[in-house]
PDB file of all heavy atoms in Angstrom:
ATOM      1  N   ARG A1413     -61.102  56.170 -18.904  1.00  0.00           N
ATOM      2  CA  ARG A1413     -59.779  56.634 -19.328  1.00  0.00           C
ATOM      3  C   ARG A1413     -58.684  55.714 -18.813  1.00  0.00           C
ATOM      4  O   ARG A1413     -57.725  55.399 -19.533  1.00  0.00           O
ATOM      5  CB  ARG A1413     -59.532  58.069 -18.842  1.00  0.00           C
ATOM      6  CG  ARG A1413     -58.193  58.648 -19.274  1.00  0.00           C
ATOM      7  CD  ARG A1413     -58.035  60.068 -18.773  1.00  0.00           C
ATOM      8  NE  ARG A1413     -57.833  60.130 -17.346  1.00  0.00           N
ATOM      9  CZ  ARG A1413     -56.623  60.050 -16.757  1.00  0.00           C
ATOM     10  NH1 ARG A1413     -55.542  59.889 -17.488  1.00  0.00           N
ATOM     11  NH2 ARG A1413     -56.513  60.138 -15.443  1.00  0.00           N
ATOM     12  N   LEU A1414     -58.812  55.254 -17.574  1.00  0.00           N
ATOM     13  CA  LEU A1414     -57.802  54.374 -16.990  1.00  0.00           C
ATOM     14  C   LEU A1414     -57.899  52.960 -17.550  1.00  0.00           C
ATOM     15  O   LEU A1414     -56.883  52.302 -17.787  1.00  0.00           O
ATOM     16  CB  LEU A1414     -57.940  54.353 -15.461  1.00  0.00           C
ATOM     17  CG  LEU A1414     -57.759  55.707 -14.768  1.00  0.00           C
ATOM     18  CD1 LEU A1414     -57.917  55.554 -13.262  1.00  0.00           C
ATOM     19  CD2 LEU A1414     -56.403  56.318 -15.093  1.00  0.00           C
ATOM     20  N   LEU A1415     -59.124  52.485 -17.768  1.00  0.00           N
ATOM     21  CA  LEU A1415     -59.291  51.152 -18.363  1.00  0.00           C
ATOM     22  C   LEU A1415     -58.643  51.091 -19.742  1.00  0.00           C
ATOM     23  O   LEU A1415     -58.111  50.046 -20.146  1.00  0.00           O
ATOM     24  CB  LEU A1415     -60.773  50.797 -18.453  1.00  0.00           C
ATOM     25  CG  LEU A1415     -61.496  50.527 -17.127  1.00  0.00           C
ATOM     26  CD1 LEU A1415     -62.993  50.340 -17.376  1.00  0.00           C
ATOM     27  CD2 LEU A1415     -60.923  49.304 -16.422  1.00  0.00           C
ATOM     28  N   ASP A1416     -58.669  52.209 -20.452  1.00  0.00           N
ATOM     29  CA  ASP A1416     -58.079  52.252 -21.791  1.00  0.00           C
ATOM     30  C   ASP A1416     -56.558  52.119 -21.754  1.00  0.00           C
ATOM     31  O   ASP A1416     -55.932  51.890 -22.795  1.00  0.00           O
ATOM     32  CB  ASP A1416     -58.467  53.548 -22.502  1.00  0.00           C
ATOM     33  CG  ASP A1416     -59.929  53.563 -22.939  1.00  0.00           C
ATOM     34  OD1 ASP A1416     -60.555  52.491 -22.947  1.00  0.00           O
ATOM     35  OD2 ASP A1416     -60.443  54.658 -23.254  1.00  0.00           O
ATOM     36  N   PHE A1417     -55.956  52.254 -20.566  1.00  0.00           N
ATOM     37  CA  PHE A1417     -54.516  52.025 -20.429  1.00  0.00           C
ATOM     38  C   PHE A1417     -54.157  50.559 -20.680  1.00  0.00           C
ATOM     39  O   PHE A1417     -53.002  50.242 -20.944  1.00  0.00           O
ATOM     40  CB  PHE A1417     -54.035  52.404 -19.015  1.00  0.00           C
ATOM     41  CG  PHE A1417     -53.913  53.881 -18.750  1.00  0.00           C
ATOM     42  CD1 PHE A1417     -53.538  54.336 -17.492  1.00  0.00           C
ATOM     43  CD2 PHE A1417     -54.165  54.831 -19.737  1.00  0.00           C
ATOM     44  CE1 PHE A1417     -53.411  55.687 -17.230  1.00  0.00           C
ATOM     45  CE2 PHE A1417     -54.046  56.187 -19.485  1.00  0.00           C
ATOM     46  CZ  PHE A1417     -53.663  56.616 -18.227  1.00  0.00           C
ATOM     47  N   PHE A1418     -55.142  49.668 -20.555  1.00  0.00           N
ATOM     48  CA  PHE A1418     -54.872  48.231 -20.612  1.00  0.00           C
ATOM     49  C   PHE A1418     -55.743  47.535 -21.661  1.00  0.00           C
ATOM     50  O   PHE A1418     -56.609  46.720 -21.333  1.00  0.00           O
ATOM     51  CB  PHE A1418     -55.104  47.598 -19.235  1.00  0.00           C
ATOM     52  CG  PHE A1418     -54.221  48.137 -18.159  1.00  0.00           C
ATOM     53  CD1 PHE A1418     -54.644  49.194 -17.353  1.00  0.00           C
ATOM     54  CD2 PHE A1418     -52.950  47.620 -17.968  1.00  0.00           C
ATOM     55  CE1 PHE A1418     -53.817  49.711 -16.367  1.00  0.00           C
ATOM     56  CE2 PHE A1418     -52.115  48.134 -16.987  1.00  0.00           C
ATOM     57  CZ  PHE A1418     -52.546  49.183 -16.189  1.00  0.00           C
ATOM     58  N   PRO A1419     -55.522  47.840 -22.949  1.00  0.00           N
ATOM     59  CA  PRO A1419     -56.324  47.202 -24.002  1.00  0.00           C
ATOM     60  C   PRO A1419     -56.079  45.693 -24.086  1.00  0.00           C
ATOM     61  O   PRO A1419     -56.914  44.957 -24.604  1.00  0.00           O
ATOM     62  CB  PRO A1419     -55.854  47.911 -25.277  1.00  0.00           C
ATOM     63  CG  PRO A1419     -54.474  48.393 -24.950  1.00  0.00           C
ATOM     64  CD  PRO A1419     -54.522  48.764 -23.493  1.00  0.00           C
ATOM     65  N   GLU A1420     -54.948  45.247 -23.559  1.00  0.00           N
ATOM     66  CA  GLU A1420     -54.612  43.820 -23.630  1.00  0.00           C
ATOM     67  C   GLU A1420     -55.270  42.992 -22.534  1.00  0.00           C
ATOM     68  O   GLU A1420     -55.179  41.756 -22.542  1.00  0.00           O
ATOM     69  CB  GLU A1420     -53.083  43.634 -23.570  1.00  0.00           C
ATOM     70  CG  GLU A1420     -52.444  43.924 -22.207  1.00  0.00           C
ATOM     71  CD  GLU A1420     -52.071  45.376 -21.975  1.00  0.00           C
ATOM     72  OE1 GLU A1420     -52.836  46.268 -22.419  1.00  0.00           O
ATOM     73  OE2 GLU A1420     -51.027  45.613 -21.342  1.00  0.00           O
ATOM     74  N   PHE A1421     -55.935  43.654 -21.577  1.00  0.00           N
ATOM     75  CA  PHE A1421     -56.580  42.908 -20.492  1.00  0.00           C
ATOM     76  C   PHE A1421     -57.722  42.063 -21.054  1.00  0.00           C
ATOM     77  O   PHE A1421     -58.589  42.570 -21.761  1.00  0.00           O
ATOM     78  CB  PHE A1421     -57.108  43.875 -19.427  1.00  0.00           C
ATOM     79  CG  PHE A1421     -57.773  43.181 -18.266  1.00  0.00           C
ATOM     80  CD1 PHE A1421     -57.022  42.557 -17.292  1.00  0.00           C
ATOM     81  CD2 PHE A1421     -59.160  43.140 -18.162  1.00  0.00           C
ATOM     82  CE1 PHE A1421     -57.632  41.912 -16.227  1.00  0.00           C
ATOM     83  CE2 PHE A1421     -59.775  42.501 -17.105  1.00  0.00           C
ATOM     84  CZ  PHE A1421     -59.015  41.877 -16.130  1.00  0.00           C
ATOM     85  N   GLU A1422     -57.730  40.775 -20.711  1.00  0.00           N
ATOM     86  CA  GLU A1422     -58.694  39.850 -21.316  1.00  0.00           C
ATOM     87  C   GLU A1422     -59.865  39.485 -20.418  1.00  0.00           C
ATOM     88  O   GLU A1422     -60.800  38.805 -20.850  1.00  0.00           O
ATOM     89  CB  GLU A1422     -57.957  38.562 -21.733  1.00  0.00           C
ATOM     90  CG  GLU A1422     -56.890  38.804 -22.808  1.00  0.00           C
ATOM     91  CD  GLU A1422     -56.166  37.533 -23.199  1.00  0.00           C
ATOM     92  OE1 GLU A1422     -56.344  36.506 -22.493  1.00  0.00           O
ATOM     93  OE2 GLU A1422     -55.426  37.551 -24.196  1.00  0.00           O
ATOM     94  N   GLY A1423     -59.839  39.924 -19.166  1.00  0.00           N
ATOM     95  CA  GLY A1423     -60.931  39.593 -18.254  1.00  0.00           C
ATOM     96  C   GLY A1423     -62.097  40.566 -18.362  1.00  0.00           C
ATOM     97  O   GLY A1423     -62.210  41.335 -19.326  1.00  0.00           O
ATOM     98  N   ARG A1424     -62.948  40.549 -17.364  1.00  0.00           N
ATOM     99  CA  ARG A1424     -64.116  41.425 -17.335  1.00  0.00           C
ATOM    100  C   ARG A1424     -63.713  42.826 -16.882  1.00  0.00           C
ATOM    101  O   ARG A1424     -62.949  42.983 -15.920  1.00  0.00           O
ATOM    102  CB  ARG A1424     -65.171  40.866 -16.379  1.00  0.00           C
ATOM    103  CG  ARG A1424     -66.398  41.753 -16.216  1.00  0.00           C
ATOM    104  CD  ARG A1424     -67.343  41.202 -15.156  1.00  0.00           C
ATOM    105  NE  ARG A1424     -68.419  42.130 -14.882  1.00  0.00           N
ATOM    106  CZ  ARG A1424     -69.309  41.979 -13.884  1.00  0.00           C
ATOM    107  NH1 ARG A1424     -69.237  40.900 -13.097  1.00  0.00           N
ATOM    108  NH2 ARG A1424     -70.250  42.879 -13.689  1.00  0.00           N
ATOM    109  N   LYS A1425     -64.231  43.827 -17.570  1.00  0.00           N
ATOM    110  CA  LYS A1425     -63.980  45.212 -17.195  1.00  0.00           C
ATOM    111  C   LYS A1425     -65.262  45.835 -16.645  1.00  0.00           C
ATOM    112  O   LYS A1425     -66.337  45.652 -17.209  1.00  0.00           O
ATOM    113  CB  LYS A1425     -63.482  46.032 -18.387  1.00  0.00           C
ATOM    114  CG  LYS A1425     -62.066  45.681 -18.833  1.00  0.00           C
ATOM    115  CD  LYS A1425     -61.597  46.631 -19.937  1.00  0.00           C
ATOM    116  CE  LYS A1425     -60.163  46.343 -20.334  1.00  0.00           C
ATOM    117  NZ  LYS A1425     -59.671  47.273 -21.386  1.00  0.00           N
ATOM    118  N   ILE A1426     -65.124  46.569 -15.547  1.00  0.00           N
ATOM    119  CA  ILE A1426     -66.247  47.297 -14.958  1.00  0.00           C
ATOM    120  C   ILE A1426     -65.916  48.785 -14.994  1.00  0.00           C
ATOM    121  O   ILE A1426     -64.936  49.227 -14.388  1.00  0.00           O
ATOM    122  CB  ILE A1426     -66.511  46.848 -13.504  1.00  0.00           C
ATOM    123  CG1 ILE A1426     -66.923  45.377 -13.462  1.00  0.00           C
ATOM    124  CG2 ILE A1426     -67.590  47.723 -12.855  1.00  0.00           C
ATOM    125  CD1 ILE A1426     -67.128  44.831 -12.060  1.00  0.00           C
ATOM    126  N   VAL A1427     -66.726  49.542 -15.738  1.00  0.00           N
ATOM    127  CA  VAL A1427     -66.501  50.988 -15.843  1.00  0.00           C
ATOM    128  C   VAL A1427     -67.132  51.679 -14.639  1.00  0.00           C
ATOM    129  O   VAL A1427     -68.343  51.522 -14.391  1.00  0.00           O
ATOM    130  CB  VAL A1427     -67.095  51.547 -17.146  1.00  0.00           C
ATOM    131  CG1 VAL A1427     -66.841  53.051 -17.244  1.00  0.00           C
ATOM    132  CG2 VAL A1427     -66.502  50.829 -18.356  1.00  0.00           C
ATOM    133  N   VAL A1428     -66.328  52.417 -13.887  1.00  0.00           N
ATOM    134  CA  VAL A1428     -66.820  53.147 -12.721  1.00  0.00           C
ATOM    135  C   VAL A1428     -67.135  54.578 -13.157  1.00  0.00           C
ATOM    136  O   VAL A1428     -66.248  55.334 -13.555  1.00  0.00           O
ATOM    137  CB  VAL A1428     -65.779  53.153 -11.588  1.00  0.00           C
ATOM    138  CG1 VAL A1428     -66.303  53.967 -10.406  1.00  0.00           C
ATOM    139  CG2 VAL A1428     -65.448  51.729 -11.169  1.00  0.00           C
ATOM    140  N   ARG A1429     -68.406  54.948 -13.122  1.00  0.00           N
ATOM    141  CA  ARG A1429     -68.827  56.301 -13.499  1.00  0.00           C
ATOM    142  C   ARG A1429     -69.265  57.093 -12.271  1.00  0.00           C
ATOM    143  O   ARG A1429     -68.805  58.177 -12.011  1.00  0.00           O
ATOM    144  CB  ARG A1429     -69.965  56.218 -14.522  1.00  0.00           C
ATOM    145  CG  ARG A1429     -69.543  55.610 -15.864  1.00  0.00           C
ATOM    146  CD  ARG A1429     -70.658  55.732 -16.899  1.00  0.00           C
ATOM    147  NE  ARG A1429     -70.255  55.231 -18.204  1.00  0.00           N
ATOM    148  CZ  ARG A1429     -70.388  53.981 -18.594  1.00  0.00           C
ATOM    149  NH1 ARG A1429     -70.923  53.074 -17.762  1.00  0.00           N
ATOM    150  NH2 ARG A1429     -69.988  53.594 -19.803  1.00  0.00           N
ATOM    151  N   SER A1430     -70.185  56.553 -11.526  1.00  0.00           N
ATOM    152  CA  SER A1430     -70.687  57.198 -10.310  1.00  0.00           C
ATOM    153  C   SER A1430     -71.237  56.099  -9.409  1.00  0.00           C
ATOM    154  O   SER A1430     -71.148  54.907  -9.733  1.00  0.00           O
ATOM    155  CB  SER A1430     -71.776  58.228 -10.653  1.00  0.00           C
ATOM    156  OG  SER A1430     -72.853  57.598 -11.311  1.00  0.00           O
ATOM    157  N   GLY A1431     -71.798  56.471  -8.276  1.00  0.00           N
ATOM    158  CA  GLY A1431     -72.331  55.469  -7.361  1.00  0.00           C
ATOM    159  C   GLY A1431     -71.251  54.529  -6.863  1.00  0.00           C
ATOM    160  O   GLY A1431     -71.393  53.308  -6.923  1.00  0.00           O
ATOM    161  N   ILE A1432     -70.166  55.130  -6.359  1.00  0.00           N
ATOM    162  CA  ILE A1432     -68.992  54.338  -5.993  1.00  0.00           C
ATOM    163  C   ILE A1432     -69.296  53.320  -4.900  1.00  0.00           C
ATOM    164  O   ILE A1432     -68.745  52.221  -4.888  1.00  0.00           O
ATOM    165  CB  ILE A1432     -67.831  55.266  -5.566  1.00  0.00           C
ATOM    166  CG1 ILE A1432     -66.536  54.462  -5.420  1.00  0.00           C
ATOM    167  CG2 ILE A1432     -68.168  56.016  -4.285  1.00  0.00           C
ATOM    168  CD1 ILE A1432     -66.066  53.825  -6.685  1.00  0.00           C
ATOM    169  N   LEU A1433     -70.203  53.632  -3.979  1.00  0.00           N
ATOM    170  CA  LEU A1433     -70.524  52.695  -2.901  1.00  0.00           C
ATOM    171  C   LEU A1433     -71.190  51.437  -3.453  1.00  0.00           C
ATOM    172  O   LEU A1433     -70.937  50.324  -2.971  1.00  0.00           O
ATOM    173  CB  LEU A1433     -71.424  53.370  -1.859  1.00  0.00           C
ATOM    174  CG  LEU A1433     -70.780  54.529  -1.083  1.00  0.00           C
ATOM    175  CD1 LEU A1433     -71.773  55.120  -0.088  1.00  0.00           C
ATOM    176  CD2 LEU A1433     -69.518  54.060  -0.351  1.00  0.00           C
ATOM    177  N   GLU A1434     -72.036  51.616  -4.469  1.00  0.00           N
ATOM    178  CA  GLU A1434     -72.678  50.457  -5.095  1.00  0.00           C
ATOM    179  C   GLU A1434     -71.648  49.593  -5.818  1.00  0.00           C
ATOM    180  O   GLU A1434     -71.713  48.357  -5.787  1.00  0.00           O
ATOM    181  CB  GLU A1434     -73.756  50.914  -6.082  1.00  0.00           C
ATOM    182  CG  GLU A1434     -75.001  51.518  -5.442  1.00  0.00           C
ATOM    183  CD  GLU A1434     -74.812  52.968  -5.017  1.00  0.00           C
ATOM    184  OE1 GLU A1434     -73.720  53.524  -5.270  1.00  0.00           O
ATOM    185  OE2 GLU A1434     -75.752  53.546  -4.440  1.00  0.00           O
ATOM    186  N   VAL A1435     -70.677  50.248  -6.452  1.00  0.00           N
ATOM    187  CA  VAL A1435     -69.615  49.512  -7.154  1.00  0.00           C
ATOM    188  C   VAL A1435     -68.779  48.721  -6.156  1.00  0.00           C
ATOM    189  O   VAL A1435     -68.450  47.552  -6.389  1.00  0.00           O
ATOM    190  CB  VAL A1435     -68.724  50.484  -7.956  1.00  0.00           C
ATOM    191  CG1 VAL A1435     -67.513  49.732  -8.540  1.00  0.00           C
ATOM    192  CG2 VAL A1435     -69.515  51.145  -9.060  1.00  0.00           C
ATOM    193  N   ILE A1436     -68.439  49.342  -5.044  1.00  0.00           N
ATOM    194  CA  ILE A1436     -67.653  48.648  -4.020  1.00  0.00           C
ATOM    195  C   ILE A1436     -68.408  47.438  -3.495  1.00  0.00           C
ATOM    196  O   ILE A1436     -67.838  46.360  -3.282  1.00  0.00           O
ATOM    197  CB  ILE A1436     -67.295  49.609  -2.866  1.00  0.00           C
ATOM    198  CG1 ILE A1436     -66.289  50.657  -3.361  1.00  0.00           C
ATOM    199  CG2 ILE A1436     -66.729  48.843  -1.673  1.00  0.00           C
ATOM    200  CD1 ILE A1436     -65.960  51.726  -2.338  1.00  0.00           C
ATOM    201  N   SER A1437     -69.720  47.585  -3.294  1.00  0.00           N
ATOM    202  CA  SER A1437     -70.539  46.472  -2.823  1.00  0.00           C
ATOM    203  C   SER A1437     -70.502  45.314  -3.814  1.00  0.00           C
ATOM    204  O   SER A1437     -70.369  44.145  -3.425  1.00  0.00           O
ATOM    205  CB  SER A1437     -71.978  46.944  -2.605  1.00  0.00           C
ATOM    206  OG  SER A1437     -72.808  45.883  -2.206  1.00  0.00           O
ATOM    207  N   GLU A1438     -70.592  45.632  -5.110  1.00  0.00           N
ATOM    208  CA  GLU A1438     -70.541  44.590  -6.142  1.00  0.00           C
ATOM    209  C   GLU A1438     -69.173  43.917  -6.163  1.00  0.00           C
ATOM    210  O   GLU A1438     -69.067  42.684  -6.249  1.00  0.00           O
ATOM    211  CB  GLU A1438     -70.843  45.193  -7.509  1.00  0.00           C
ATOM    212  CG  GLU A1438     -70.803  44.156  -8.635  1.00  0.00           C
ATOM    213  CD  GLU A1438     -71.018  44.755 -10.014  1.00  0.00           C
ATOM    214  OE1 GLU A1438     -71.169  45.996 -10.108  1.00  0.00           O
ATOM    215  OE2 GLU A1438     -71.028  43.989 -10.984  1.00  0.00           O
ATOM    216  N   LEU A1439     -68.115  44.717  -6.052  1.00  0.00           N
ATOM    217  CA  LEU A1439     -66.760  44.167  -6.081  1.00  0.00           C
ATOM    218  C   LEU A1439     -66.494  43.282  -4.866  1.00  0.00           C
ATOM    219  O   LEU A1439     -65.799  42.266  -4.969  1.00  0.00           O
ATOM    220  CB  LEU A1439     -65.736  45.293  -6.139  1.00  0.00           C
ATOM    221  CG  LEU A1439     -65.726  46.124  -7.426  1.00  0.00           C
ATOM    222  CD1 LEU A1439     -64.736  47.282  -7.310  1.00  0.00           C
ATOM    223  CD2 LEU A1439     -65.380  45.259  -8.628  1.00  0.00           C
ATOM    224  N   LYS A1440     -67.069  43.647  -3.733  1.00  0.00           N
ATOM    225  CA  LYS A1440     -66.897  42.831  -2.529  1.00  0.00           C
ATOM    226  C   LYS A1440     -67.509  41.441  -2.740  1.00  0.00           C
ATOM    227  O   LYS A1440     -66.927  40.419  -2.336  1.00  0.00           O
ATOM    228  CB  LYS A1440     -67.521  43.518  -1.322  1.00  0.00           C
ATOM    229  CG  LYS A1440     -67.195  42.828   0.010  1.00  0.00           C
ATOM    230  CD  LYS A1440     -67.593  43.689   1.166  1.00  0.00           C
ATOM    231  CE  LYS A1440     -67.289  42.999   2.497  1.00  0.00           C
ATOM    232  NZ  LYS A1440     -65.841  42.757   2.668  1.00  0.00           N
ATOM    233  N   LYS A1441     -68.678  41.398  -3.370  1.00  0.00           N
ATOM    234  CA  LYS A1441     -69.310  40.106  -3.651  1.00  0.00           C
ATOM    235  C   LYS A1441     -68.467  39.294  -4.634  1.00  0.00           C
ATOM    236  O   LYS A1441     -68.250  38.096  -4.457  1.00  0.00           O
ATOM    237  CB  LYS A1441     -70.716  40.322  -4.204  1.00  0.00           C
ATOM    238  CG  LYS A1441     -71.693  40.938  -3.217  1.00  0.00           C
ATOM    239  CD  LYS A1441     -73.031  41.243  -3.883  1.00  0.00           C
ATOM    240  CE  LYS A1441     -73.991  41.937  -2.918  1.00  0.00           C
ATOM    241  NZ  LYS A1441     -75.265  42.327  -3.593  1.00  0.00           N
ATOM    242  N   LEU A1442     -67.978  39.959  -5.671  1.00  0.00           N
ATOM    243  CA  LEU A1442     -67.204  39.268  -6.698  1.00  0.00           C
ATOM    244  C   LEU A1442     -65.867  38.764  -6.161  1.00  0.00           C
ATOM    245  O   LEU A1442     -65.321  37.767  -6.656  1.00  0.00           O
ATOM    246  CB  LEU A1442     -66.962  40.213  -7.878  1.00  0.00           C
ATOM    247  CG  LEU A1442     -68.191  40.590  -8.702  1.00  0.00           C
ATOM    248  CD1 LEU A1442     -67.844  41.718  -9.683  1.00  0.00           C
ATOM    249  CD2 LEU A1442     -68.734  39.388  -9.458  1.00  0.00           C
ATOM    250  N   SER A1443     -65.335  39.443  -5.152  1.00  0.00           N
ATOM    251  CA  SER A1443     -64.013  39.075  -4.625  1.00  0.00           C
ATOM    252  C   SER A1443     -64.005  37.754  -3.872  1.00  0.00           C
ATOM    253  O   SER A1443     -62.939  37.251  -3.525  1.00  0.00           O
ATOM    254  CB  SER A1443     -63.486  40.191  -3.707  1.00  0.00           C
ATOM    255  OG  SER A1443     -64.253  40.259  -2.507  1.00  0.00           O
ATOM    256  N   SER A1444     -65.179  37.180  -3.640  1.00  0.00           N
ATOM    257  CA  SER A1444     -65.223  35.893  -2.922  1.00  0.00           C
ATOM    258  C   SER A1444     -64.513  34.791  -3.702  1.00  0.00           C
ATOM    259  O   SER A1444     -63.955  33.863  -3.119  1.00  0.00           O
ATOM    260  CB  SER A1444     -66.672  35.486  -2.649  1.00  0.00           C
ATOM    261  OG  SER A1444     -67.382  35.300  -3.870  1.00  0.00           O
ATOM    262  N   ASN A1445     -64.505  34.901  -5.040  1.00  0.00           N
ATOM    263  CA  ASN A1445     -63.828  33.876  -5.834  1.00  0.00           C
ATOM    264  C   ASN A1445     -63.115  34.444  -7.064  1.00  0.00           C
ATOM    265  O   ASN A1445     -62.774  33.715  -7.988  1.00  0.00           O
ATOM    266  CB  ASN A1445     -64.822  32.795  -6.283  1.00  0.00           C
ATOM    267  CG  ASN A1445     -65.970  33.349  -7.106  1.00  0.00           C
ATOM    268  OD1 ASN A1445     -66.035  34.545  -7.379  1.00  0.00           O
ATOM    269  ND2 ASN A1445     -66.869  32.475  -7.509  1.00  0.00           N
ATOM    270  N   LYS A1446     -62.905  35.788  -7.083  1.00  0.00           N
ATOM    271  CA  LYS A1446     -62.227  36.411  -8.209  1.00  0.00           C
ATOM    272  C   LYS A1446     -61.121  37.341  -7.707  1.00  0.00           C
ATOM    273  O   LYS A1446     -61.234  37.944  -6.645  1.00  0.00           O
ATOM    274  CB  LYS A1446     -63.213  37.239  -9.052  1.00  0.00           C
ATOM    275  CG  LYS A1446     -64.378  36.454  -9.653  1.00  0.00           C
ATOM    276  CD  LYS A1446     -63.926  35.531 -10.767  1.00  0.00           C
ATOM    277  CE  LYS A1446     -65.137  34.853 -11.415  1.00  0.00           C
ATOM    278  NZ  LYS A1446     -64.724  33.898 -12.490  1.00  0.00           N
TER     279      LYS A1446
END
């Protein structure tokens, strides 16, 4: 619902449904250069 607020966003979108700790772990890795 929140991602749909930004249809003009051109980068990668990650939908957060559940397993928030796993998502945070992935985002931490990606943040090294993004």
Side-chain angles (χ1 to χ4, degrees):
R1413 182 179 71 88
L1414 299 180
L1415 290 174
D1416 287 345
F1417 284 177
F1418 299 93
E1420 71 273 38
F1421 181 76
E1422 297 179 349
R1424 177 185 173 188
K1425 289 185 177 181
I1426 297 177
V1427 180
V1428 178
R1429 294 188 177 89
S1430 60
I1432 190 62
L1433 295 180
E1434 289 80 3
V1435 173
I1436 291 175
S1437 177
E1438 180 184 2
L1439 293 175
K1440 189 168 179 63
K1441 294 175 183 176
L1442 292 170
S1443 69
S1444 62
N1445 59 1
K1446 300 289 185 182

